[in-house]
Amino acid sequence: MLKGKKVLLGISASIAAYKSILLARLLVKEGAEVKVIMTPAAKDFVSPLVLSTLTGNTVLVDIFSEDSWANHVMLGRWADVMLVAPLSCNTLAKMAHGQCDNLLLAVYLSSTCPIAIAPAMDADMWHHPATQKNIRALKEYGHVLIDVEHGELASGLVGEGRMAEPENILFFLKEKFFRQDTLKNKKALVTAGPTYEPVDPVRFVGNHSSGKMGFALAEALYENGADVTVVSGPVHQQTKYKGIKIVNVNTAEEMYNACLQLHEAMDIEIMAAAVADYKPASVATEKIKKTENNFMLNLTKTNDILATLGAKKKSQFLIGFALETNNEKQHALDKLKKKNADMIVLNSLKDANAGFGHDTNKVSVFLANGSHVETGLASKKDIAKKIVELVIEKMHA
Ligand code: CTP
C-alpha cells in the first residue's frame, strides 16, 4: 500500500526514539521510501547507523556538515508526508513557535507536505498547559496528531504520554494519507469468522474459523477506499483501521439478521464467514447433565445468508466462499449458480498451510461468466488483495 510513497521521518530526543527503529522498518517493509532526520540530541537515544542501514538512506542531522549544506527546502518538497515520531516536548515547543536551530526544524518549516506528529513525554509534561497549548497550535497549523497512549512511562509512572506503538502509527498513516479511491463511495459488507450455536448455557456447536481471511478482505476493501462493515462471529481477530465498522454476532441467526439489515445499502458483499449450517433445534435452559451413555443432539438447518442475499440482490456484487474436500470445482460451480453469486472463492482443505487458522491460503476463484483464476500459496493478506483486485476489475468491466 505504501509502495513508492515517500516518508520523511523526523526523530527528536525522547526515550521513545527506540520505537522509531521498528517504525522505520515497518514503513520500509510496506514499500515506502524513508528518509530520516534526527535532532542532534536524538543521537544520544538511537544510532543513525541503525536507521541508515534499515532505510538505505543517509540519516541527516546537521544543516552544515564539513563543507556541505543539507538542502532542507528540497527535502520538505520531496516527501508525501513528514512524520515527527517521537516528538519531544522541546521540539514541539520549537515547532509551535517557528524556531529553527536544527535541520529537523528547518525542514519542518520549509515543508509543503502534510505533517503528522506522534508526541512522547512524561504524563505531567504532557498534561502541562504549555504543552497542550503547543499541541493546539500545531493542530491549528493543520498538522495531524497521532495521540499519545496510556501505559508505563520511562519515569516508572503510569499514565498518558507514551508514543503510539509503531504498528498503530503505521496504520494511522495508511488510513489518513494513503487510501486509494478506486472504491470510493462504495459500501462493502464482509462476514467473518465462525458462528457459535448454543446447546445449553455453557456449550455450543462451532468451528475452527479464525476470521483472518474475512478481516484481510475487509482491510483490502478499505485500503481501496470502500466504506466497510464487518459482521463478525466470535474471533480474536481485530483491525487497526479505526474506520472499519465491526458488528459482533454469535449465532448464524444474528449474522443473518445483521446482514439482511445492511444488504440494501451495499455495493459489494463478501460472505467469508464459516456459518453453521445446522443449529440445535432447542437450547436447554440449564446445563445438560451427563446421565445417558449416548446423547443425541437434534439439529435444524440455519438460514443460508449467501443464498438469501443472492435471491434479493439488485446491483450488489456478491462473493461467496466454498470449502470443499472432494469434487471441489464442481461443488464450487454449483454453489455459484445455486446461490446466485457473482464470484465463488474455493478453498481446498487438501492444500498444506491453506484454510482454517493458517496465515496463508491458496484459492481458486470462479466467476459467473465461466472464467476462473488460481492463486498460489500466499499470505491471506495477499490473497485478499488479489480477490479485491478481481472484484474491482469485474465491477468496472
Ligand atoms: N453460508 C451462508 N450461510 C449459511 C451457510 C453458508 O452465508 N448458513 C455461506 C458461507 O459464508 C460461504 C458459502 O455460503 O460463503 C458456502 O459455504 P459452505 O459451508 O462451503 O457451503 P454450504 O452452502 O453450507 O454447503 P455444504 O456445507 O453442503 O458444502
Side-chain angles (χ1 to χ4, degrees):
M1 185 181 185
L2 296 185
K3 207 167 165 39
K5 302 294 179 197
K6 302 184 187 85
V7 180
L8 203 50
L9 174 60
I11 301 179
S12 59
S14 156
I15 192 76
Y18 77 91
K19 291 190 197 169
S20 305
I21 297 172
L22 182 55
L23 179 57
R25 171 93 190 92
L26 290 173
L27 288 164
V28 169
K29 223 172 138 191
E30 286 263 342
E33 186 174 350
V34 181
K35 289 190 180 175
V36 176
I37 311 171
M38 296 170 76
T39 62
K43 286 200 296 181
D44 291 336
F45 293 88
V46 63
S47 144
L49 181 63
V50 176
L51 288 150
S52 63
T53 309
L54 285 175
T55 60
N57 285 314
T58 309
V59 172
L60 301 161
V61 181
D62 303 309
I63 300 190
F64 308 102
S65 57
E66 300 189 351
D67 53 359
S68 69
W69 172 74
N71 190 335
H72 55 86
V73 177
M74 290 328 287
L75 265 173
R77 286 177 176 247
W78 167 84
D80 292 310
V81 65
M82 178 176 184
L83 163 70
V84 187
L87 173 64
S88 67
C89 212
N90 187 35
T91 297
L92 164 67
K94 288 179 178 177
M95 284 167 73
H97 293 91
Q99 290 185 25
C100 186
D101 64 1
N102 62 41
L103 179 66
L104 190 151
L105 292 164
V107 171
Y108 160 66
L109 287 167
S110 51
S111 65
T112 49
C113 60
I115 312 275
I117 50 165
M121 60 197 77
D122 209 63
D124 295 328
M125 290 169 89
W126 173 247
H127 289 297
H128 193 282
T131 305
Q132 291 304 313
K133 192 173 166 195
N134 289 335
I135 289 284
R136 276 197 300 280
L138 293 202
K139 281 190 183 167
E140 275 165 26
Y141 303 157
H143 306 340
V144 179
L145 170 69
I146 305 175
D147 220 344
V148 294
E149 293 179 2
H150 185 278
E152 200 175 314
L153 301 159
S155 60
L157 298 171
V158 173
E160 279 185 333
R162 283 172 67 92
M163 183 175 88
E165 289 304 316
E167 230 197 330
N168 297 344
I169 296 180
L170 175 76
F171 272 79
F172 186 101
L173 291 183
K174 291 201 289 185
E175 184 157 18
K176 186 80 193 166
F177 301 111
F178 297 117
R179 280 174 78 200
Q180 311 284 305
D181 54 11
T182 336
L183 293 175
K184 201 172 171 192
N185 301 324
K186 298 282 181 211
K187 287 187 185 300
L189 165 66
V190 180
T191 62
T195 62
Y196 286 180
E197 309 304 324
V199 175
D200 68 13
V202 294
R203 303 182 179 94
F204 60 84
V205 178
N207 61 66
H208 292 301
S209 171
S210 63
K212 281 181 186 160
M213 196 65 226
F215 274 75
L217 283 159
E219 290 190 344
L221 289 162
Y222 188 72
E223 287 169 1
N224 276 284
D227 174 358
V228 181
T229 304
V230 182
V231 176
S232 174
V235 291
H236 295 295
Q237 216 59 34
Q238 285 177 344
T239 176
K240 287 192 180 291
Y241 286 129
K242 295 199 163 49
I244 295 182
K245 295 177 268 295
I246 311 283
V247 178
N248 289 305
V249 296
N250 283 307
T251 64
E253 192 178 340
E254 288 166 7
M255 190 173 273
Y256 174 83
N257 289 334
C259 289
L260 249 67
Q261 208 170 22
L262 292 161
H263 168 69
E264 213 162 286
M266 292 297 147
D267 300 292
I268 302 164
E269 295 172 317
I270 307 188
M271 301 292 106
V275 189
D277 290 329
Y278 292 92
K279 64 177 181 180
S282 64
V283 182
T285 49
E286 303 297 339
K287 186 182 166 202
I288 299 169
K289 301 302 284 180
K290 188 174 53 185
T291 47
E292 311 296 331
N293 278 342
N294 295 306
F295 178 75
M296 297 286 285
L297 192 59
N298 187 17
L299 299 174
T300 177
K301 240 186 188 166
T302 58
N303 287 318
D304 191 312
I305 307 167
L306 177 62
T308 309
L309 299 188
K312 285 178 175 289
K313 100 178 166 178
K314 293 194 179 97
S315 58
Q316 289 88 353
F317 194 88
L318 181 63
I319 300 117
F321 272 70
L323 180 68
E324 307 293 345
T325 54
N326 68 321
N327 245 346
E328 297 152 325
K329 184 176 172 184
Q330 196 49 51
H331 283 313
L333 290 173
D334 290 348
K335 275 177 197 168
L336 181 70
K337 209 164 159 208
K338 207 168 77 193
K339 303 198 188 194
N340 196 26
D342 297 288
M343 190 188 268
I344 285 280
V345 181
L346 168 69
N347 288 295
S348 170
L349 271 185
K350 285 182 182 160
D351 289 313
N353 299 320
F356 280 157
H358 294 291
D359 285 327
T360 47
N361 206 359
K362 185 179 171 198
V363 300
S364 311
V365 181
F366 296 91
L367 290 136
N369 67 3
S371 62
H372 105 270
V373 177
E374 303 271 345
T375 70
L377 190 71
S379 71
K380 286 189 174 168
K381 282 185 192 303
D382 285 342
I383 300 271
K385 280 183 195 154
K386 181 81 204 156
I387 293 171
V388 170
E389 266 170 35
L390 280 169
V391 172
I392 292 168
E393 199 183 301
K394 295 298 151 199
M395 283 180 75
H396 290 154

